[in-house]
Amino acid sequence: MHIDRFDPKADTGRLDACYEMFTASVRADDPDAPAMSRDEFEGWWSAAYSGDPQQAFLTTDTTGPVGCCLLGLPFRENTHAAYCTPIVPSPHRRRGIGTALLNRSMHEARAAGRSILTSSTLIGSPGAAFAAAQGAVSGIGDVRRVMNVADCPPDRRSALRASAEPKATDYHLVSWSGRTPEIYLDQTAQVEKAMSDAPRNPGMEATVWDTERIRAAEQAGLDRGVGFFAVAAMHAGTGEIAALTEIADIGAGSPGWGEQLITAVTRPHRGHRLGLLVKLAMLDLLAEQAPRMRWIVTSNAELNQHMIAINEQLGYRITGRFLTWQLDLAAASSGTVSQQREAGQAASR
């Protein structure tokens, strides 16, 4: 068995092998997940969306590719952490391939000065069992929900809007598609920072968005055929963007699917039902400009009850529950993995 590092931008053959294994694993372990196109996968593995340094690995034996792994090494926030995504298709499991990929990832993460290795798995999946067996400790849970747009038709949207508008008389809505208009760009970056108080694991920092980062992410998506739609609530007195929601039309590889990006309300403007109002206006915008979109997928921390309540009003339904995991690299290298393994197993029960 060999583990080779490769460049996803240059080595399309190896990237194709990784994509095939990823797709097969998702079909087996998480059949409710939206399909990911080859183009989206390339964007993910080539770091086009995050801009963070990444390392890609392909494992082969005499039969061909049997596993792969992506290691992310963020350089702006969470520089103490590395993100690990090992993939082993079901026919090749229980042969030590996942453990070998994890060991390689730990080695590279330590070499990069990282102290923890993190990942995310579907609860009850083989990946979750593997993480617990390796001594990783589970953190906060995330819940994936999917909305069938047809479940929130115009009359239901009108009723929900009528219940919310009396609390938002000092606000009006604006919308756009494609790149964020220059007039709203600085304020959009400020609203993105409102996500900094969203639930996250202890010791982990929120992503800090600035105008340069927004433009880079938009361009990466547009280059791969992703469409962007946004609705903002503007405060009449100050002209500030008080709330923002964004959805990505994730392209030909996942026809009919949209992905919820940010929905945020800045702290001074909370309590005015703006989160619900911008999401309702988004459904109106999509009906006009992207009528092919039939489903929208979103993910929220289980602790984010306010946003979950809004999503449930709109008709979102749970399709998967996930756990984040952390593996302490110092403990793993000092011979105390057995203690960490016991802690991880206890935390995941």
Side-chain angles (χ1 to χ4, degrees):
M1 182 172 63
H2 300 279
I3 300 178
D4 297 312
R5 182 177 171 182
F6 71 97
D7 181 357
K9 296 179 182 178
D11 196 332
T12 57
R14 287 179 173 175
L15 186 65
D16 286 340
C18 294
Y19 177 62
E20 290 175 8
M21 289 187 287
F22 167 78
T23 301
S25 296
V26 171
R27 279 199 302 264
D29 300 336
D30 188 9
D32 292 325
M36 181 181 290
S37 71
R38 168 63 170 74
D39 219 22
E40 289 176 85
F41 186 81
E42 180 181 344
W44 172 27
W45 275 55
S46 66
Y49 300 128
S50 70
D52 289 332
Q54 294 183 164
Q55 297 179 12
F57 302 97
L58 178 67
T59 304
T60 57
D61 65 10
T62 55
T63 67
V66 293
C68 57
C69 185
L70 184 68
L71 181 69
L73 300 165
F75 73 96
R76 286 167 287 200
E77 305 89 24
N78 301 308
T79 56
H80 65 298
Y83 299 92
C84 179
T85 307
I87 299 166
V88 181
S90 51
H92 303 296
R93 291 172 185 168
R94 300 188 179 278
R95 295 172 48 194
I97 298 167
T99 300
L101 286 167
L102 177 63
N103 287 337
R104 177 64 179 269
S105 296
M106 289 194 294
H107 172 79
E108 299 294 347
R110 292 191 193 102
R114 310 305 165 110
S115 60
I116 62 170
L117 196 63
T118 73
S119 194
S120 175
T121 66
L122 184 70
I123 291 176
S125 69
F130 177 76
Q134 298 301 320
V137 177
S138 60
I140 65 173
D142 288 313
V143 182
R144 183 184 64 214
R145 288 174 170 83
V146 169
M147 176 188 183
N148 184 332
V149 175
D151 288 342
C152 195
D155 58 341
R156 177 167 174 75
R157 298 201 296 270
S158 295
L160 288 170
R161 186 178 295 109
S163 71
E165 284 181 335
K167 291 184 175 292
T169 55
D170 291 336
Y171 301 87
H172 66 276
L173 302 178
V174 298
S175 64
W176 62 86
S177 58
R179 291 180 179 84
T180 304
E182 198 67 32
I183 190 174
Y184 299 132
L185 186 58
D186 287 339
Q187 286 201 61
T188 296
Q190 293 302 313
V191 176
E192 295 270 5
K193 293 176 183 177
M195 293 292 290
S196 63
D197 60 0
R200 59 183 181 276
N201 286 310
M204 299 301 287
E205 301 165 338
T207 300
V208 178
W209 288 90
D210 55 24
T211 58
E212 181 180 353
R213 201 168 188 173
I214 290 171
R215 283 292 190 237
E218 288 176 344
Q219 191 60 53
L222 292 169
D223 287 345
R224 285 167 173 78
V226 177
F228 295 106
F229 301 90
V231 175
M234 312 290 294
H235 184 242
T238 63
E240 294 176 342
I241 294 181
L244 176 69
T245 190
E246 297 174 327
I247 281 182
D249 181 345
I250 51 183
S254 305
W257 280 93
E259 180 180 359
Q260 179 71 62
L261 305 178
I262 182 177
T263 299
V265 181
T266 62
R267 186 172 292 276
H269 300 285
R270 293 174 183 173
H272 296 281
R273 308 295 300 278
L274 298 179
L276 176 59
L277 286 170
V278 294
K279 285 203 163 196
L280 289 168
M282 174 63 77
L283 292 174
D284 293 339
L285 179 66
L286 294 174
E288 177 184 339
Q289 297 193 18
R292 63 191 174 281
M293 194 178 294
R294 298 174 59 194
W295 304 279
I296 302 171
V297 60
T298 189
S299 181
N300 305 102
E302 281 189 313
L303 301 177
N304 193 350
Q305 291 301 312
H306 177 70
M307 192 55 61
I308 287 172
I310 291 174
N311 287 337
E312 289 180 343
Q313 280 185 282
L314 295 174
Y316 280 87
R317 299 291 180 264
I318 294 173
T319 62
R321 296 181 182 273
F322 297 79
L323 281 177
T324 54
W325 297 88
Q326 293 187 359
L327 182 65
D328 186 321
L329 293 175
S333 64
S334 63
T336 59
V337 174
S338 60
Q339 298 174 16
Q340 198 169 339
R341 178 177 296 119
E342 292 172 4
Q345 291 171 335
S348 63
R349 291 191 184 114

